Amino acid sequence: MGNSNWRYREDIDGLRALAVVAVILFHFESSWFPGGFVGVDVFFVISGFLITSLIARQITEDRFSLIDFYERRFRRIYPNLLIVLAVTVVLGFVAMVPLTYRPFGRSLVWAALSASNFAFIGGDGYFDPDNLTKPLLHTWSLGVEEQFYLVFPWLLILAAKRGYNTKWLIGTVVALSLVLSIGAALAGWAPSYFLLPTRFWELGIGALIAVLPKSERLSYARRSILGLGGLLAIVWATLRLSEADPFPGYVALAPTLGAAAIIWANGGLASHLLSFRPFVWIGRLSFALYLWHWPLISIAAGIGLPPTGTATRLLITTVMLVFSVAGYFLWEQPIRQRRRLGRRKKFFAVLAVFAVVLVGIGVVIFETRGLPQRLPADLVAIDEAAKRDSFFITKRCPEVESIKPAPCTIGDETTNKVSFVIIGDSQAQAVAAEIGDLAKSYHLRGLYLGKIGCPPLAGLTRTRRSHCSMQYDFAMNEIRENNPELVIALMHWAGLIGDPVGGSKTPLLKQGEVVTEADRSAVVTAALDETLTNLGNRQIMTSLTIPEHNGKALLFGKWWTERFGFPMFVPRLTLSEYWERQTYVKRLLSDAQLRHANLTVVSPAPVFCPTDLCIQSTNDTILYSDDSHLSHAGAQLYAPLFEAALAKTSATVKRPNPSLPSD
């Protein structure tokens, strides 16, 4: 069966610490460590190595038992997991609105059944902007690991019984999985992030190290070079990779092989660094820290405390450390060491009851549409209206959500001439229908040619998905063919160019290559100039980014105050803060106006920041569907910013006189 390598290693706990810190910092603020999500890949390698070391040794000694193996796995994973799930149910009950609590119920069922990775394969994958509303998103990795545990022992048993070469058997499966992973990532297939077939190779590489010959003959210097090289590969991945890269795919080789190198070196300078006592202790708590951090971040964001706030970070860090340390001594170690629930039948019985109860709770939450009875009727109605009445353009033209480019007619459909078009990303999609409704009163026909996630700038995309470049080419062709007088280009400028406050930035690719932070401003400027040149001399309009804040925070704070009798602080965006956030955007667009006299820039500040405080609702009508997109009511307030341009376009459009007979 090969080398079992089964003994406790402090450096592996240190490696766990590196992995969990990377993930947590990524979730606190992705611009610090844009590739911090690779910490999960490091965890996968560690799991593959440790599990295979244990199984290989026991098979060699002819004492491997599947039931013993699965009992150890359940004792390791489920006590912490089930308690985190239960606490998140309570936190969600208090803090989540029905529209996010209902899908939470669905994910709760999957998480309790070790299959939550299947619950999150929809949308835009792991980096979907809506994922901040999913408190159990992080449990996808547990689903992958637990499914690995279901199939992998049988592969080793098969090798032992049939006399197969274990290294070649694992290596073949690893190679097939890697090829599948690379192909899926390059094709932009988002579900590949969550599935075992495209992740098996990472766990499998750890397994290969466990059955390869030991590295005992390596000198200290060579171990140091190997380990430090692996450490640098992981650090490089956390600093240089981002959600724009085709992940997992070939770019995941850096953190995966880096972790493998450290484990295989088994000594040297890197191992000594990772064996530093604080790192070891964080590593021992790493599983609990991983489980606790994301629900706390998600719930906090839902009540208006985004993870970018320093006070929020300190609060979440304190809470997750307290929970993790308490859990380590109160239930994690006692259950693993059989000091509690030591008898197998009793342990599995308690586990089964706990899991069934959570599944039942999840079903109730989902089937009751998020238990709206727990909240005031006005809060529920406003929350539902915000979602129901957003992105009207997708209700009128469902085809705009497909990958294939498709135009959507807006405005006055009784006229033949296309007088204006709207291009852009989700910012445009949130308001296109309402601008079209306003244009209808001026008898103007228009086209919406935008796509979520696709900034309408030449050569720029958010990911490697090819449909963004297809969408841009399609929009330009439609503009050339229809020759509209007015083009309205709307996008999340602050995400593209950044802001001085340090808000999250959109990952950018220029013709398939990731744009570095140092080059971002120059690349966006060049892409904007190229786009404006392509649009010609027609009238072009854009808008500064809308004020961004949690549209439900004030309403939740009001409900909290009424329910519990003491005020809850909800941060309010001020006008001065808004203008500070727009510093880079204003500079970019002002400079562009000097080069392109036909570009007009409007500001939403007078509408959404009428006083020193920016508003999120009017007369209990919420203006936002989330923190950065307007609801239907908000879009109706926003649309008149373009009324003067629509009126001017209407005055220049020649129409046949209906009183005269046509030829």
Side-chain angles (χ1 to χ4, degrees):
M1 181 61 69
N3 170 36
S4 64
N5 274 347
W6 182 249
R7 65 176 179 81
Y8 173 70
R9 287 174 49 181
E10 290 188 334
D11 63 325
I12 289 182
D13 268 335
L15 187 57
R16 283 194 177 109
L18 176 63
V20 77
V21 169
V23 173
I24 292 171
L25 291 178
F26 170 73
H27 284 149
F28 271 147
E29 178 48 71
S30 60
S31 66
W32 293 350
F33 294 92
F37 54 87
V38 304
V40 173
D41 305 78
V42 175
F43 279 129
F44 283 161
V45 177
I46 294 172
S47 293
F49 170 74
L50 294 178
I51 292 304
T52 307
S53 296
L54 174 64
I55 298 176
R57 177 190 177 195
Q58 292 184 343
I59 288 179
T60 300
E61 296 173 356
D62 196 25
R63 61 183 184 89
F64 177 70
S65 165
L66 278 171
I67 187 64
D68 288 343
F69 170 75
Y70 289 126
E71 182 185 357
R72 281 192 297 270
R73 290 297 87 210
F74 277 109
R75 286 182 180 274
R76 166 64 172 147
I77 293 172
Y78 263 84
N80 263 324
L81 174 62
L82 293 180
I83 289 173
V84 169
L85 295 182
V87 171
T88 307
V89 167
V90 176
L91 293 176
F93 184 88
V94 174
M96 294 178 73
V97 292
L99 283 169
T100 53
Y101 200 43
R102 186 193 187 198
F104 164 78
R106 177 175 176 268
S107 64
L108 176 64
V109 172
W110 286 97
L113 298 175
S114 303
S116 61
N117 51 325
F118 297 114
F120 302 114
I121 59 175
D124 199 21
Y126 184 72
F127 304 106
D128 192 318
D130 286 338
N131 282 345
L132 193 57
T133 67
K134 304 171 184 176
L136 300 182
L137 174 68
H138 65 319
T139 60
W140 74 269
S141 63
L142 301 185
V144 170
E145 284 200 34
E146 288 155 7
Q147 289 149 32
F148 175 80
Y149 300 149
L150 285 176
V151 300
F152 188 69
W154 294 98
L155 191 67
L156 296 183
I157 292 171
L158 175 67
K161 288 188 174 181
R162 297 292 180 88
Y164 296 152
N165 186 302
T166 308
K167 295 185 288 292
W168 282 104
L169 184 60
I170 297 175
T172 300
V173 180
V174 165
L176 291 173
S177 174
L178 177 59
V179 169
L180 181 62
S181 179
I182 292 173
L186 292 177
W189 191 53
S192 68
Y193 195 96
F194 300 105
L195 299 177
L196 178 61
T198 49
R199 289 288 191 169
F200 184 97
W201 66 275
E202 298 177 81
L203 293 128
I205 283 178
L208 271 177
I209 303 171
V211 298
L212 285 173
K214 294 182 180 180
S215 58
E216 291 176 347
R217 295 183 180 180
L218 291 179
S219 65
Y220 182 88
R222 290 182 177 179
R223 291 174 192 269
S224 295
I225 292 172
L226 187 61
L228 289 174
L231 198 58
L232 288 174
I234 296 171
V235 172
W236 176 88
T238 64
L239 297 175
R240 302 298 297 174
L241 297 183
S242 74
E243 63 186 82
D245 291 292
F247 209 86
Y250 65 90
V251 291
L253 283 166
T256 304
L257 294 180
I262 293 171
I263 294 171
W264 194 62
N266 194 12
L269 185 57
S271 290
H272 287 143
L273 289 173
L274 292 172
S275 298
F276 186 48
R277 187 59 54 186
F279 295 164
V280 173
W281 262 106
I282 294 174
R284 289 176 179 174
L285 297 174
S286 61
F287 181 56
L289 291 171
Y290 179 80
L291 284 178
W292 282 113
H293 86 283
W294 182 250
L296 296 174
I297 289 174
S298 177
I299 297 292
I303 61 174
L305 300 173
T308 54
T310 301
T312 304
R313 293 171 186 154
L314 290 174
L315 175 63
I316 291 173
T317 301
T318 301
V319 173
M320 72 179 178
L321 280 171
V322 170
F323 283 1
S324 298
V325 172
Y328 183 82
F329 290 105
L330 294 179
W331 58 78
E332 182 179 331
Q333 288 301 105
I335 291 176
R336 286 186 69 185
Q337 296 171 3
R338 299 175 185 268
R339 287 184 277 118
R340 289 187 181 174
L341 301 177
R343 294 175 55 195
R344 178 180 294 168
K345 288 183 179 180
K346 184 178 181 180
F347 168 71
F348 278 120
V350 171
L351 202 69
V353 170
F354 209 149
V356 168
V357 169
L358 286 173
V359 168
I361 292 172
V363 171
V364 170
I365 293 172
F366 184 79
E367 291 298 330
T368 58
R369 298 183 178 275
L371 291 171
Q373 302 87 348
R374 64 199 162 88
L375 300 174
D378 58 344
L379 178 59
V380 175
I382 292 170
D383 179 65
E384 290 180 346
K387 276 294 184 188
R388 184 181 64 248
D389 295 341
S390 62
F391 291 91
F392 259 38
I393 197 71
T394 61
K395 300 173 177 65
R396 299 178 185 179
C397 300
E399 61 272 14
V400 302
E401 294 192 289
S402 66
I403 292 179
K404 183 179 179 181
C408 174
T409 300
I410 54 179
D412 188 352
E413 297 185 23
T414 64
T415 63
N416 294 323
K417 164 66 176 171
V418 172
S419 302
F420 74 100
V421 300
I422 299 175
I423 58 177
D425 54 20
S426 59
Q427 296 288 314
Q429 190 150 313
V431 300
E434 290 76 11
I435 295 175
D437 290 342
L438 182 60
K440 190 173 183 179
S441 64
Y442 289 95
H443 305 289
L444 295 176
R445 181 187 184 96
L447 294 176
Y448 170 64
L449 304 172
K451 185 77 67 179
I452 285 181
C454 297
L457 297 176
L460 291 189
T461 60
R462 285 183 54 200
T463 69
R464 296 183 188 274
R465 294 172 298 183
S466 61
H467 71 258
C468 284
S469 57
M470 290 167 48
Q471 184 69 32
Y472 179 84
D473 294 340
F474 170 77
M476 291 300 152
N477 286 333
E478 288 288 318
I479 291 171
R480 280 191 292 268
E481 291 179 8
N482 289 282
N483 194 27
E485 286 81 0
L486 171 65
V487 174
I488 300 174
L490 304 175
M491 64 204 84
H492 191 223
W493 285 112
L496 291 169
I497 199 68
D499 69 68
V501 180
S504 60
K505 299 177 184 177
T506 301
L508 279 182
L509 286 86
K510 173 70 174 178
Q511 296 177 343
E513 296 298 323
V514 177
V515 176
T516 65
E517 286 302 305
D519 295 335
R520 179 181 286 263
S521 180
V523 168
V524 173
T525 299
L528 174 59
D529 281 338
E530 183 178 347
T531 300
L532 293 173
T533 300
N534 291 342
L535 290 174
N537 293 324
R538 54 181 52 87
Q539 186 182 7
I540 305 168
M541 292 193 74
T542 190
S543 166
L544 300 179
T545 310
I546 62 172
E548 296 182 86
H549 40 204
N550 191 321
K552 304 179 184 70
L554 281 180
L555 294 171
F556 181 83
K558 176 184 175 183
W559 167 74
W560 180 281
T561 302
E562 293 173 352
R563 171 68 65 90
F564 298 105
F566 62 92
M568 172 185 168
F569 173 71
V570 179
R572 295 284 299 272
L573 180 70
T574 66
L575 179 61
S576 59
E577 288 171 339
Y578 169 74
W579 283 121
E580 183 182 5
R581 290 170 181 261
Q582 297 299 304
T583 300
Y584 300 157
V585 177
K586 287 192 298 180
R587 184 185 305 159
L588 169 76
L589 296 178
S590 296
D591 291 346
Q593 285 181 292
L594 296 176
R595 298 186 297 273
H596 304 272
N598 58 328
L599 173 64
T600 301
V601 181
V602 297
S603 169
V607 177
F608 297 101
C609 305
T611 65
D612 186 52
L613 288 177
C614 299
I615 59 174
Q616 299 161 308
S617 60
T618 57
N619 299 322
D620 282 340
T621 299
I622 195 166
L623 303 178
Y624 288 77
S625 60
D626 57 31
D627 61 349
S628 60
H629 297 94
L630 296 172
S631 66
H632 178 55
Q636 286 180 315
L637 290 178
Y638 177 84
L641 292 174
F642 305 94
E643 185 167 11
L646 293 169
K648 179 181 177 181
T649 301
S650 178
T652 61
V653 173
K654 296 181 179 180
R655 297 185 181 83
N657 190 334
S659 64
L660 297 177
S662 58
D663 294 335

